[in-house]
Amino acid sequence: MSRLPLLASGLMLTSAAVFAQGSTYPDTRRADQTDTHHGVNVADPYRWLEDDNSAETKEWVKAQNALTEKHLAVLSQRAPTKKLFTDLYNFEKYGIPSKQGGRYFFIRNDGLQQQAVLYSVRKLTDAPQLVIDPNTFSKDGTVALTGTSVSENGKYLAYGVAGAGSDWQEWKVRDLATGKDLADVIKWVKSSNATWTHDNKGFFYSRYDAPKEGEKFTGSNYFQKLYYHRIGTDQSKDVLVHQDILNKERGFDANVADDGKNLFITVSQGTSRKFGLLTLPLKNTAYAGGDVSPLTMAFDAEYTLIGAHGNAAWIRTDTGAARGKIVAIDLAKPERPNWRTVVPEQAESLTEASVVGGHILAQYFKDAASLVRVHALDGKLLREVTLPGVGSSGGFGGKFQDAETFFSFTSFTAPGEIFRCDVKTGAATLFKRPKTAFNPDNFETRREFVTSKDGTKLPIFIAHRKGLKLDGSNPVLLYGYGGFNVPLTPTYRVTAATWMMMGGVYVSAVLRGGGEYGTDWHDAGMKLKKQNTFDDFIAAAEWLIANKYTSPAKLAINGGSNGGLLVGAVLNQRPELFGAAVPEVGVMDMLRFHKFTIGWAWTSDYGSAENADEFKVLFKYSPLHNIRRDIAYPAVLVTTADHDDRVVPAHSFKYTAEMQLAAGEFAKANGKSTGPVLVRIESQAGHGAGTPTSKLIEERSDVLAFMANALGLAFK
């Protein structure tokens, strides 16, 4: 398939073109900007859109949003879709409880609250007591609660907040007896928890240096540092516990052991699942300085602490075990030859594990559905946890001394139920079951297997109303991710429930690059092998068409972040397969992603344009650089947000501008319009986390209405 990469040009062209309803695309200035990568000249005419603070960019955003609103406002599907989505979203949502200081803590949203509220109880049957209501943080609900950590004695709560969807967090400390915040304020925190010493006088956390002026949302984040904060002191007095001045990409995640005797520090390098692991003894369960000691700094595999007690530590790792195993380490003899495998590699992929109540709780995926086993500390298999069906479970956290744990279970047609589980007996009792307007009895889910281009088999999950006719006429929404070892499993999504009630079929594809089948599955969809991810997604689309679930004009594709990249790449490669495409907060410029905020961390999965071999692959599939002007693309709606400081909005801005130019040139050359190319840019929002309910409902219902209109789904 021919590709038309951008070439250097000094022309001041615009992307004006006519599409449905007689609208024209806003003019987008093309500048004379060219980069040379390993001898290849690559034009970047929309580089100016990377400056989200400039007046010109703000005017461009305003014009694009006005055009998109004009298109969406006249869709007959918009109002009824929003009403249905709102009705389905309006149900009680609970988080999994955790226990600390003699109390249970959990979050709850009564249905349409902008943000979930933190509550606590002494006994599970007690009336919940309010701890923190983040809906009071701002009038518009755009300030979110991002993390919580309760001191060992239950007196203090350290909690993080973030505004407008930013990844930047500010941590504060609340006295739980009085409900009042202390004077303590911790700034410039990103990608960090807080973990208390057992003297209850302070906690460990990680942060970055303050960004330069004007670079808060775009500047690169390097040299994370681990600190200890003592309650009642200014942040400037915090003690630097650990840093790495030679490796700017390393980050630190600290956890105090359940008995308070040791601090464990997981050392990461970007988003790679290859870690280092350090320990630091805590004297009298308090921090008194000292040097860290390595358990391993090989960075050759995953090493995740799942529990520690006394001189024993248990680690989940994939060293010598692509699907994962659990090893025990004696901290008195921590050298690698002394490590002991207690739960060896299984046929299924080990995804999570914890040590609770003197037992090992191991969570697996079997063909992308959950399976949970309980082991003794020596690894002996005791039982499997009985789950309600084929779906996804989560939780199973707690402490070494806890007698109970909590877990959630969900599927495409069942919102998350929460259960209390007796660790010793395995008996599970229902804690919370939400009541929704979605009746699962009217729908069904099946798992099918698809063969990809190279013969690899992958599962897809198909959910729809019962009595579906396989005549090729069904509007299908195909969703995918396929990256960073992240598993995509059957879970209840209001987006999917709404689409199914509108009369559509919802399909989720398990792609290489994800975490459903272990390290080998992830490795097969990263860096030089990233094309496998796209081939898998294309194979899923072709299977749905061949098996009469749908036809190209009735098939929409959707994904966010890395999934946005997926949609953009596949749309360039096989545009004739689809009737609509919605890439959300996508990584679209594969030559410059590593130059913004935390983007450098993704080179572990994508590679980098700085490497000659990796550049060739990136340039070949980069959504921005492979847009074609000789074809009619289907309807495209790009979504992003002005405060997204993870995948900066410039990705979506530049991609939209080039897509609109391509649509204009095709229309001019062929005398007919393509599907509209629109971008929806949310204000006071970020990459997704912490998005207030009202904004979430508006965005998701707009996306569904757009796809319904493009596919001819006349929902009223």
Side-chain angles (χ1 to χ4, degrees):
M1 180 182 295
S2 64
R3 293 179 174 84
L4 302 175
L6 299 177
L7 301 176
S9 173
L11 298 177
M12 299 294 290
L13 302 177
T14 64
S15 56
V18 178
F19 67 97
Q21 303 166 30
S23 299
T24 58
Y25 294 120
D27 291 347
T28 304
R29 177 172 63 87
R30 288 172 61 85
D32 187 6
Q33 171 68 48
T34 302
D35 298 323
T36 301
H37 298 268
H38 310 286
V40 178
N41 293 331
V42 182
D44 192 4
Y46 306 117
R47 179 76 58 85
W48 59 273
L49 282 169
E50 293 179 359
D51 183 359
D52 56 347
N53 292 313
S54 75
E56 187 178 17
T57 298
K58 291 179 179 179
E59 283 300 312
W60 185 88
V61 168
K62 183 178 178 180
Q64 291 287 350
N65 269 342
L67 175 64
T68 300
E69 177 57 28
K70 179 181 179 181
H71 178 83
L72 295 175
V74 299
L75 300 185
S76 63
Q77 297 92 341
R78 193 184 199 188
T81 300
K82 183 177 180 180
K83 183 181 184 305
L84 177 59
F85 192 98
T86 302
D87 291 344
L88 291 177
Y89 198 87
N90 189 11
F91 68 92
E92 260 189 329
K93 306 168 190 69
Y94 280 85
I96 299 173
S98 61
K99 192 173 185 180
Q100 186 69 36
R103 300 184 69 88
Y104 297 94
F105 293 84
F106 56 87
I107 59 171
R108 171 184 175 269
N109 188 308
D110 65 12
L112 295 177
Q113 287 176 291
Q114 297 282 40
Q115 301 288 345
V117 179
L118 181 66
Y119 293 94
S120 74
V121 292
R122 290 285 181 188
K123 296 186 296 183
L124 293 176
T125 54
D126 289 348
Q129 295 182 359
L130 176 66
V131 178
I132 290 182
D133 182 0
N135 296 290
T136 64
F137 292 168
S138 62
K139 291 182 179 180
D140 61 0
T142 58
V143 179
L145 182 68
T146 57
T148 60
S149 180
V150 180
S151 63
E152 186 69 16
N153 61 3
K155 183 177 180 180
Y156 298 117
L157 170 74
Y159 68 97
V161 297
S166 171
D167 283 343
W168 286 117
Q169 302 173 47
E170 187 175 275
W171 281 72
K172 302 179 180 180
V173 180
R174 178 161 294 190
D175 186 316
L176 290 174
T178 66
K180 304 293 184 181
D181 284 347
L182 306 183
D184 305 59
V185 177
I186 308 297
K187 296 183 177 181
W188 305 119
V189 177
K190 186 180 284 193
S191 303
S192 175
N193 64 335
T195 182
W196 290 81
T197 50
H198 281 214
D199 64 351
N200 305 291
K201 293 182 179 180
F203 56 84
F204 299 92
Y205 71 97
S206 297
R207 72 173 177 89
Y208 293 95
D209 292 338
K212 296 179 181 178
E213 186 69 27
E215 296 185 3
K216 179 178 179 181
F217 297 117
T218 58
S220 296
N221 305 135
Y222 290 120
F223 292 112
Q224 192 181 48
K225 301 172 184 177
L226 178 64
Y227 286 90
Y228 176 73
H229 175 74
R230 185 172 291 273
I231 297 301
T233 63
D234 187 81
Q235 185 178 11
S236 63
K237 304 295 184 183
D238 290 355
V239 179
L240 178 61
V241 179
H242 190 66
Q243 64 177 330
D244 191 330
I245 61 175
L246 299 179
N247 296 282
K248 65 181 182 180
E249 297 180 351
R250 289 188 177 173
F252 309 102
D253 181 49
N255 286 282
V256 174
D258 290 344
D259 58 9
K261 293 182 179 180
N262 290 282
L263 178 73
F264 291 84
I265 306 168
T266 301
V267 186
S268 60
Q269 292 190 141
T271 55
S272 167
R273 300 293 294 180
K274 301 182 187 304
F275 301 146
L277 192 60
L278 309 169
T279 61
L280 177 65
L282 299 176
K283 301 176 181 178
N284 300 318
T285 69
Y287 176 64
D291 296 327
V292 299
S293 300
L295 287 176
T296 176
M297 288 295 286
F299 292 98
D300 60 339
E302 177 181 4
Y303 301 98
T304 299
L305 179 76
I306 65 170
H309 185 75
N311 278 336
W314 292 269
I315 307 296
R316 188 181 87 239
T317 181
D318 54 11
T319 179
R323 293 183 299 277
K325 64 181 181 181
I326 297 172
V327 301
I329 301 174
D330 182 348
L331 298 179
K333 298 180 294 181
E335 294 78 16
R336 181 73 72 95
N338 298 323
W339 293 13
R340 181 168 52 90
T341 297
V342 291
V343 179
E345 182 180 18
Q346 305 294 307
E348 303 83 13
S349 175
L350 178 66
T351 59
E352 299 288 344
S354 55
V355 177
V356 182
H359 293 72
I360 297 173
L361 307 179
Q363 301 181 57
Y364 295 89
F365 283 145
K366 184 175 183 179
D367 292 329
S370 290
L371 173 69
V372 184
R373 297 185 176 115
V374 181
H375 298 262
L377 293 179
D378 62 3
K380 180 183 178 181
L381 177 63
L382 301 178
R383 72 184 73 88
E384 286 190 4
V385 175
T386 301
L387 299 175
V390 176
S392 304
S393 64
F396 296 100
K399 297 187 175 183
F400 187 88
Q401 63 270 25
D402 288 346
E404 63 187 349
T405 187
F406 293 85
F407 69 92
S408 65
F409 179 83
T410 180
S411 68
F412 278 133
T413 57
E417 302 172 326
I418 298 177
F419 297 85
R420 177 193 176 276
C421 181
D422 185 295
V423 176
K424 186 176 182 180
T425 66
T429 55
L430 182 68
F431 172 57
K432 295 293 179 182
R433 172 176 288 144
K435 297 179 181 179
T436 77
F438 182 82
N439 185 355
D441 294 337
N442 296 332
F443 300 87
E444 61 181 318
T445 302
R446 63 169 55 90
R447 178 172 50 197
E448 299 283 358
F449 288 86
V450 171
T451 302
S452 192
K453 183 177 181 179
D454 63 355
T456 300
K457 291 189 179 298
L458 56 121
I460 62 173
F461 292 88
I462 307 171
H464 54 78
R465 193 180 293 275
K466 291 179 178 177
L468 184 76
K469 293 182 179 179
L470 299 181
D471 57 5
S473 67
N474 302 297
V476 170
L477 194 170
L478 174 60
Y479 183 86
Y481 186 78
F484 296 95
N485 204 42
V486 174
L488 192 62
T489 58
T491 58
Y492 182 79
R493 299 180 179 92
V494 177
T495 295
T498 304
W499 184 252
M500 287 188 281
M501 287 192 68
M502 291 170 67
V505 178
Y506 187 87
V507 182
S508 178
V510 175
L511 313 174
R512 280 176 286 183
E516 299 86 358
Y517 287 101
T519 301
D520 291 345
W521 185 260
H522 173 217
D523 291 349
M526 58 185 286
K527 288 193 172 181
L528 302 184
K529 299 178 181 179
K530 188 63 179 174
Q531 183 60 41
N532 286 335
T533 306
F534 311 140
D535 289 342
D536 291 352
F537 202 53
I538 290 169
E542 291 177 328
W543 188 94
L544 291 166
I545 295 168
N547 286 273
K548 303 298 183 181
Y549 277 91
T550 192
S551 59
K554 296 287 187 177
L555 177 58
I557 50 175
N558 178 221
S561 195
N562 175 75
L565 158 64
L566 168 71
V567 170
V570 167
L571 186 61
N572 285 331
Q573 294 179 15
R574 294 294 302 277
E576 77 284 357
L577 280 181
F578 314 112
V582 182
E584 302 183 56
V585 293
V587 187
M588 302 309 217
D589 185 346
M590 299 309 296
L591 305 187
R592 287 179 58 78
F593 70 85
H594 59 297
K595 295 182 179 293
F596 304 100
T597 63
I598 204 67
W600 57 264
W602 313 331
T603 59
S604 59
D605 234 63
Y606 296 146
S608 170
E610 311 297 330
N611 177 288
D613 291 335
E614 292 170 350
F615 162 75
K616 293 177 183 178
V617 174
L618 291 166
F619 191 41
K620 190 175 182 179
Y621 73 73
S622 176
L624 173 63
H625 300 96
N626 289 276
I627 294 169
R628 298 171 58 186
R629 301 173 188 175
D630 61 338
I631 58 169
Y633 279 101
V636 177
L637 176 64
V638 182
T639 73
T640 187
D642 62 356
H643 279 65
D644 190 341
D645 51 1
R646 193 175 309 175
V647 181
V648 295
H651 283 279
S652 295
F653 293 175
K654 294 161 69 174
Y655 173 78
T656 299
E658 185 62 22
M659 281 289 286
Q660 289 178 345
L661 176 62
E665 293 197 357
F666 179 85
K668 187 180 299 183
N670 295 275
K672 60 181 180 179
S673 297
T674 66
V677 177
L678 304 172
V679 60
R680 189 185 188 283
I681 306 158
E682 188 62 75
S683 62
Q684 291 296 104
H687 199 61
T691 301
T693 295
S694 60
K695 287 183 179 291
L696 186 149
I697 289 174
E698 290 174 358
E699 180 196 349
R700 300 314 305 158
S701 56
D702 277 353
V703 165
L704 290 173
F706 178 87
M707 289 191 290
N709 178 263
L711 302 186
L713 175 55
F715 176 67
K716 297 180 179 179

